[in-house]
Amino acid sequence: MATNPVKFINETRAEIAKVIWPTRREVVLTTVMVFILAALTAIFFSLVDWIIRSGLTGVLGYFGS
């Protein structure tokens, strides 16, 4: 089934015109939120890692020697 390239381009342009592009403010706010949530997630997993490591070190130290 052959597709007409001109028709395809016109339909593509029509679909792109329907897209609601974010404002500069929305892009900046969502980017800042991503960085904040990434930092909070890193802190959370660092604390969980530290707690697990401390617990294992304590258990191995108690039963190890």
Side-chain angles (χ1 to χ4, degrees), residues 2 6-7 19 24 28 30 32 35-36 39 50 56-57 62 64:
V6 175
K7 182 179 176 185
V19 174
R24 183 178 197 82
V28 169
T30 53
V32 168
F35 279 112
I36 290 171
W50 177 76
L56 283 174
T57 302
Y62 181 76

Side-chain angles (χ1 to χ4, degrees), residues 37-60:
L37 290 175
L40 290 174
T41 303
I43 291 168
F44 170 76
F45 283 113
S46 295
L47 288 173
V48 170
D49 179 59
W50 177 76
I51 290 168
I52 292 172
R53 188 176 346 116
S54 297
L56 283 174
T57 302
V59 169
L60 291 175

Side-chain angles (χ1 to χ4, degrees), residues 17-28:
K18 293 179 187 177
V19 174
I20 300 173
W21 298 101
T23 63
R24 183 178 197 82
R25 183 175 184 272
E26 289 172 332
V27 171
V28 169

